[in-house]
Amino acid sequence: YTDNDEEYHTVTCSNCDYSATEEHSYVNGVCSKCNAIENSIDLTKAIYLYKAGSFSITNENSVNATVSYNENPDCTSNSIAEIFNEDIGSNFCVYLNNDITEDVTVKQSFYLDLNGKTITGTGTASVISFYSYSSSNNVLNLLDSSADKTGKITGGSATNPYKQGGGIYVTKGTLKMYGGVITGNTAIDGGGIAIISDTNKEANFEMYGGKITANTGKSFGFGVYVKTNSVSAPSATFKMYGGEISGNNPATDAYSANYGGGVAIKGYYKSSEGSKSADLEMSGGRIESNTAACGGGISLTTYSTATISGGTVSQNVATTDSQTSCGRGGGIFVENSILTFSNLTISDNVAKST
């Protein structure tokens, strides 16, 4: 008897040419004929979970990061939330085998490989809400190992108290984005992604690859919104090393003064307390073809800081009409903030002030 590494084995007669294929005959998880081990993992389900040791990341924290898998998944499910209800330890990877529709709240570090598939939100919340009440700063690592890089997060409509982060909402944690597309989400602030730092809740975003595109918002940051919420909070930070933020626009019912079509960085200020910055560091990537009333590409407001040493800001539009005000800063809008830049390509941006 020879195990075929499937649900069958082959039986061959040692005295003649006879052979046949038979199903395994399992007894207590072991085939009584060929000793094959029964595989209890259902590989037709939408979600695979790989625990520590079953996958590896090369070139982590770089634009060349890749993920590989060494074994069959440790378990499978049709729900990311269901997986998080299990005792899965730490340093694990959630891998999409099929498209899913789900809103997910996560309070621990993990890797999420979209694998060319789509997570569609229900339209009643952020698609992914990521935070922790523990002492550690958890990390969500977003990847797409598919060849065509078409994995996406879409369909989010933020309903948290401040309606921030339609696609991904992060408070007290770090989002590291290596791949995937955040698209078709909406919120008041941060149509694609919102990074909100508050008292004892440090929030950060590092972008190495992927795309944030075609999201909408009403007030700040239709692609990405980075906000420090109090003078005692750690500064919220966005470090952009690569990737693309493009085609994000104000919603049809956006506020007349809206900021940061691609990226909005907003610090904190109160006269009785003082100020605390929110910070942008950009050394690569593209911010292009976004639109807002103030700062089509990037807006820096309320004691925020930006240090830009590379990348491209192009073809963004700051617009005004009978319904909107401002129309300043087609590429970058700065108000009560500090911008330092070098080696930045900034071109073909338009400001339409009236």
Side-chain angles (χ1 to χ4, degrees):
Y1 291 87
T2 302
D3 179 18
N4 294 334
D5 293 325
E6 297 175 349
E7 291 301 312
Y8 305 93
H9 56 229
T10 299
V11 56
T12 304
C13 177
S14 59
N15 296 318
C16 66
D17 293 332
Y18 172 81
S19 67
T21 299
E22 303 174 344
E23 290 186 1
H24 291 305
S25 178
Y26 291 114
V27 178
N28 295 324
V30 179
C31 179
S32 61
K33 303 291 182 64
C34 71
N35 296 318
I37 304 299
E38 184 176 16
N39 183 3
S40 60
I41 302 297
D42 184 355
L43 299 180
T44 67
K45 291 191 174 182
I47 309 297
Y48 292 177
L49 176 74
Y50 291 87
K51 294 183 179 180
S54 297
F55 73 100
S56 60
I57 305 291
T58 57
N59 298 316
E60 192 165 357
N61 297 328
S62 83
V63 296
N64 298 312
T66 58
V67 58
S68 59
Y69 301 92
N70 305 323
E71 302 174 1
N72 284 331
D74 293 283
C75 67
T76 61
S77 175
N78 283 322
S79 165
I80 295 178
E82 182 179 275
I83 280 181
F84 280 100
N85 289 330
E86 303 295 327
D87 182 14
I88 53 180
S90 60
N91 192 35
F92 56 90
C93 183
V94 173
Y95 172 99
L96 264 65
N97 184 49
N98 287 304
D99 299 340
I100 63 169
T101 298
E102 184 175 17
D103 299 324
V104 183
T105 297
V106 183
K107 301 179 183 180
Q108 62 192 101
S109 297
F110 75 111
Y111 295 82
L112 173 59
D113 183 357
L114 297 174
N115 182 39
K117 306 302 189 294
T118 298
I119 304 177
T120 302
T122 63
T124 60
S126 305
V127 182
I128 297 177
S129 298
F130 182 67
Y131 57 90
S132 171
Y133 292 117
S134 69
S135 59
S136 60
N137 186 5
N138 291 331
V139 180
L140 163 56
N141 301 273
L142 181 63
L143 310 124
D144 184 359
S145 63
S146 68
D148 55 8
K149 307 300 180 187
T150 55
K152 62 184 177 180
I153 294 173
T154 191
S157 180
T159 56
N160 53 61
Y162 298 102
K163 295 180 173 57
Q164 297 168 331
I168 301 177
Y169 174 73
V170 179
T171 180
K172 194 174 182 183
T174 296
L175 170 63
K176 296 184 178 182
M177 184 174 178
Y178 300 99
V181 181
I182 312 298
T183 186
N185 305 284
T186 191
I188 289 180
D189 302 315
I193 295 172
I195 308 296
I196 310 299
S197 187
D198 212 330
T199 304
N200 300 319
K201 296 179 181 179
E202 180 180 356
N204 307 291
F205 178 28
E206 299 175 12
M207 187 174 185
Y208 299 93
K211 183 184 292 188
I212 302 167
T213 186
N215 302 283
T216 62
K218 294 184 180 183
S219 187
F220 283 86
F222 311 141
V224 177
Y225 179 53
V226 180
K227 175 70 166 67
T228 301
N229 254 357
S230 75
V231 73
S232 60
S235 292
T237 65
F238 176 24
K239 298 180 179 180
M240 187 173 183
Y241 303 100
E244 178 182 312
I245 301 173
S246 64
N248 301 285
N249 296 294
T252 56
D253 58 347
Y255 303 152
S256 60
N258 56 77
Y259 299 80
V263 177
I265 310 294
K266 187 179 182 183
Y268 175 86
Y269 174 76
K270 190 173 182 180
S271 60
S272 61
E273 298 176 7
S275 63
K276 191 63 172 287
S277 68
D279 304 321
L280 168 66
E281 297 178 20
M282 181 179 178
S283 58
R286 303 182 65 85
I287 300 174
E288 60 186 16
S289 302
N290 304 282
T291 302
C294 307
I298 301 170
S299 76
L300 307 170
T301 61
T302 320
Y303 299 91
S304 60
T305 70
T307 303
I308 303 177
S309 58
T312 299
V313 178
S314 69
Q315 300 179 32
N316 301 284
V317 177
T319 186
T320 185
D321 54 32
S322 61
Q323 301 299 316
T324 63
S325 60
C326 194
R328 292 175 288 169
I332 304 175
F333 175 82
V334 182
E335 183 177 71
N336 295 324
S337 300
I338 298 172
L339 168 64
T340 304
F341 65 91
S342 61
N343 300 317
L344 169 67
T345 299
I346 182 165
S347 63
D348 301 317
N349 300 285
V350 177
K352 295 182 177 181
S353 182
T354 58

